[in-house]
Amino acid sequence: GWASASEPRCDFEHRPRLSRHAGVWILSLWQSSLMGQTLSEIKSDPEQVPHFAQAVSDFLLEIFGSSLSSGDWCVVTSPRRRHLERNFAHMVSSDIALRIGIPFYPDTAVCSTHQRVNAVFELGNNPLQTNVIVFDDIVTTGSTLSSMSNLLRPLGKNTLFVVGINNNR
């Protein structure tokens, strides 16, 4: 299909960034751009899953080194709300966990609605680890990751939010 002119795009120029959205600090690898692939194109391309997973894994290993695999870490992602069968963030998170050698907890958060802003998540699979890497493919407002924080922090989890694309230039 035709991509919307307002749909996020990414040229995959490596520009790691620490930013704050909706009260949550987020590490991102790439920024949205005027040129490049649209998010729809990225998510529909099976080759992008290992591309994202390798880049995020390398990024995390550069920052934390071997403490990731020898520590109390796991990976989760935001709930599968619209794409239940082939969920891009879910597939990337699973691949990240394999590459780093830490557990991946699918469906840690569940959401009964499809709303994207101010969603309320419920606990699905409770991670055993204290340090939780929350991965999402893109952040715009930070609302989804804020909802993940609201779910995990009361459980005593230390959360590290990592996204592929930061949609705020």
Side-chain angles (χ1 to χ4, degrees), residues 10-16 28-33 35 51 164:
C10 185
D11 59 11
F12 292 110
E13 182 180 325
H14 192 69
R15 293 181 295 212
S28 57
L29 270 68
W30 303 292
Q31 309 306 307
S32 64
S33 58
M35 305 300 289
H51 173 71

Side-chain angles (χ1 to χ4, degrees), residues 11 14 22 24 31 40 48 56 58 104 108 111 134 138 165 167:
D11 59 11
H14 192 69
V24 177
Q31 309 306 307
S40 295
Q48 291 295 344
V56 171
D58 290 348
F104 168 58
T108 293
C111 187
V134 180
I138 189 166
I165 303 169
N167 194 31

Side-chain angles (χ1 to χ4, degrees), residues 137-158:
D137 49 14
I138 189 166
V139 64
T140 300
T141 66
S143 179
T144 298
L145 296 178
S146 179
S147 294
M148 289 296 293
S149 177
N150 292 338
L151 176 70
L152 294 170
R153 287 204 176 130
L155 300 173
K157 306 299 181 185
N158 299 316

Side-chain angles (χ1 to χ4, degrees), residues 4-40:
S4 164
S6 63
E7 185 175 7
R9 292 180 173 272
C10 185
D11 59 11
F12 292 110
E13 182 180 325
H14 192 69
R15 293 181 295 212
R17 181 168 144 191
L18 176 65
S19 57
R20 191 164 174 85
H21 299 277
V24 177
W25 286 100
I26 300 166
L27 290 170
S28 57
L29 270 68
W30 303 292
Q31 309 306 307
S32 64
S33 58
L34 297 175
M35 305 300 289
Q37 292 180 288
T38 65
L39 189 58
S40 295

Side-chain angles (χ1 to χ4, degrees), residues 4-5 68 80:
S4 164
L68 283 173
R80 295 185 274 187

Side-chain angles (χ1 to χ4, degrees), residues 22-114:
V24 177
W25 286 100
I26 300 166
L27 290 170
S28 57
L29 270 68
W30 303 292
Q31 309 306 307
S32 64
S33 58
L34 297 175
M35 305 300 289
Q37 292 180 288
T38 65
L39 189 58
S40 295
E41 292 168 335
I42 293 166
K43 287 182 162 191
S44 66
D45 181 359
E47 293 298 316
Q48 291 295 344
V49 171
H51 173 71
F52 267 66
Q54 184 67 58
V56 171
S57 299
D58 290 348
F59 186 55
L60 291 171
L61 287 168
E62 184 178 336
I63 294 170
F64 295 103
S66 62
S67 67
L68 283 173
S69 61
S70 63
D72 188 27
W73 291 88
C74 68
V75 177
V76 304
T77 191
S78 56
R80 295 185 274 187
R81 290 179 274 181
R82 292 179 295 144
H83 303 101
L84 300 178
E85 295 301 316
R86 189 184 179 283
N87 184 279
F88 187 78
H90 180 92
M91 291 186 298
V92 172
S93 296
S94 175
D95 197 343
I96 291 167
L98 284 173
R99 289 171 190 269
I100 295 175
I102 61 177
F104 168 58
Y105 288 90
D107 304 318
T108 293
V110 293
C111 187
S112 58
T113 66
H114 295 285

Side-chain angles (χ1 to χ4, degrees), residues 105-125:
Y105 288 90
D107 304 318
T108 293
V110 293
C111 187
S112 58
T113 66
H114 295 285
Q115 70 190 56
R116 300 178 97 179
V117 178
N118 298 323
V120 176
F121 299 159
E122 296 174 7
L123 185 64
N125 294 325

